[in-house]
Amino acid sequence: MSRPVRGLLARLRIDPYILAILATVGVASLLPARGEAADIVGWATKIGVALVFFLHGAKLSPQAVAAGIGHWRLHLTVLLSTFALFPLAGLAFAQLPDWILPAALAPGLIYLACLPSTIQSQVGFTAIANGNVAAAVCGASASNILGVAVTPLLVGLLLSAQGGGLSWGSVQAILLQLLAPFIAGQLLRRWIGGFIERHKKAASLVDRGSILLVVYNAFSEAVVEGIWRQVSIPDLLRLSACCLVLMALAMIWAVWISRRLGFSKADEPAVLFGASNKSLAAGAPMAAVLFPAATVGFVLLPVMLYHQFQLMACAAIAGRYAKRADTPGETG
C-alpha cells in the first residue's frame, strides 16, 4: 500500500486490515467456495484456527497477569464489565423487534457482547492516552486467557435463553480446536516464546491471514445460504446503529464506574478501553468453532462493524486524553 493511501486511511481512521476483511467478504460474495473447494477451505480454516490459538497461548504470559494482581479492583471492574454487564446488554439488544434488529443478526450481537477485550488496541490506546499501560497489559492478558473458556460458556448460556445453545459437538470442537492448542502454547511458551517474540511480524501475518481465511470460509457458506438476500443495506445500517449505541453505553459506564470507584486519571483510560473494546482477532476464529458454517457469516457481521467503530472512537478519545494530560494544571 502506497504512502499517500496509508496517510489518507490514517486521517480517516480506517484500519487497512478492515479493508482487507471487506475485500475478502467481496471475494467470497462473488466467488464463494463450493463442493470440494469448500471442503478444502473448511479444513484449512480448522487448522488456521488451531494455529491462532496456539500462538495466542504461546504469546500470553501468565506472569504478566499475576504481576498485575495488585491492582485487582481495576481488573475486576474491567472483567465484570466485559463478561457480565456487556453480555447482559447484548442479550437485551437481541430482544429488539425484527424491524430494528433482524432475528438472523441477533445471535451475532450476543456473540459480540461475550467476546474478550483486545490486546494490541487496548494497550496501544491506553499508551496514547498517557494511561496506566501496565494495568492495560495485565487486564488484556487476563481477559484473553479467560475468554478462551468463558466466551463459549457465555454464548451457550445466553443463546440457550434464545432457544439456541451449544451442542456436544460444539463442546468437543472447543476442547480440540481452542483449549487444546491454547494450553499447548502455554506449556511450550518457555521454549518457543522467545522465538515467537523475535518473529512478531511473521506471527502477526499468520494470525491475520488465518482470520481472513475464517472470514472467507464463513461468507462463502453464508453466500451459498443467501445472506445478501436476507440482509439488506437498511438492515446493515440498523445493525450499525445498535453496535454504536452498545459501544457508547459501554464507554459511558466505564468512565462513570472508574470515577465512582476513585481510580486515578491514569487508570481511567485502561478501564475505558478494556471495558468497551471487543476482539476481532479472538472472535473470528472462535465463531468458526462455535457456530454452524452456514451461520458464521451472520455472526461475524456485528463483530466486524463494531471493531471498526471502536478503532475510530478510541483513537479520537485517546487523543483527547493525551491533550488533557498535556494541559497545564492537569495531572495524571
Side-chain angles (χ1 to χ4, degrees):
M1 188 178 294
S2 66
R3 184 174 298 177
V5 173
R6 287 198 300 269
L8 176 62
L9 294 178
R11 287 193 297 274
L12 295 175
R13 294 194 177 94
I14 297 176
D15 183 1
Y17 188 56
I18 287 292
L19 295 183
I21 290 174
L22 293 177
T24 302
V25 172
V27 171
S29 299
L30 295 173
L31 300 170
R34 301 175 186 268
E36 290 186 9
D39 293 335
I40 294 172
V41 172
W43 276 106
T45 299
K46 291 179 180 179
I47 294 170
V49 168
L51 185 56
V52 165
F53 277 85
F54 175 79
L55 291 174
H56 282 186
K59 287 189 292 185
L60 291 177
S61 170
Q63 291 79 10
V65 181
I69 198 89
H71 212 339
W72 64 270
R73 289 174 66 246
L74 184 150
H75 300 315
L76 185 60
T77 300
V78 172
L79 290 174
L80 285 176
S81 299
T82 300
F83 293 121
L85 297 180
F86 215 126
L88 289 176
L91 183 62
F93 270 67
Q95 310 306 314
L96 292 170
D98 282 0
W99 64 269
I100 297 178
L101 181 67
L105 299 175
L109 208 60
I110 292 176
Y111 178 64
L112 163 69
C114 295
L115 289 175
S117 62
T118 62
I119 294 182
Q120 294 93 337
S121 296
Q122 181 182 342
V123 174
F125 287 132
T126 301
I128 292 171
N130 294 315
N132 189 337
V133 174
V137 171
C138 297
S141 299
S143 178
N144 277 258
I145 289 173
L146 289 173
V148 176
V150 174
T151 293
L153 293 175
L154 283 173
V155 171
L157 178 65
L158 296 184
L159 288 184
S160 292
Q162 294 285 98
L166 296 182
S167 64
W168 172 240
S170 296
V171 174
Q172 288 179 311
I174 292 166
L175 293 174
L176 291 175
Q177 287 187 250
L178 303 185
L179 285 178
F182 184 86
I183 292 172
Q186 285 277 287
L187 293 175
L188 295 174
R189 187 181 186 281
R190 177 179 178 182
W191 295 280
I192 65 174
F195 177 83
I196 292 175
E197 183 69 21
R198 291 192 300 272
H199 297 83
K200 281 184 178 179
K201 185 172 291 187
S204 177
L205 288 175
V206 171
D207 199 356
R208 294 189 163 211
S210 297
I211 292 172
L212 292 178
L213 185 60
V214 168
V215 170
Y216 177 74
N217 185 53
F219 277 90
S220 288
E221 294 279 357
V223 167
V224 171
E225 293 295 320
I227 184 172
W228 300 128
R229 293 194 300 272
Q230 300 178 54
V231 180
S232 64
I233 291 177
D235 289 335
L236 288 175
L237 293 175
R238 289 191 288 267
L239 176 61
S240 297
C242 289
C243 290
L244 287 168
V245 173
L246 192 59
M247 181 175 65
L249 290 174
M251 289 181 167
I252 291 169
W253 158 260
V255 172
W256 180 83
I257 194 64
S258 180
R259 294 176 182 178
R260 181 76 175 176
L261 294 177
F263 290 135
S264 70
K265 289 183 178 180
D267 289 338
E268 187 177 302
V271 175
L272 170 60
F273 299 130
S276 62
N277 278 206
K278 291 295 182 177
S279 175
L280 174 64
M286 209 178 289
V289 175
L290 295 178
F291 296 92
T295 66
V296 176
F298 293 89
V299 170
L300 285 180
L301 270 177
V303 181
M304 292 191 297
L305 288 171
Y306 190 95
H307 181 78
Q308 179 57 41
F309 294 151
Q310 78 183 12
L311 288 176
M312 296 170 70
C314 290
I317 292 170
R320 290 182 65 86
Y321 272 113
K323 289 179 181 177
R324 183 188 71 177
D326 292 337
T327 301
E330 293 280 359
T331 59

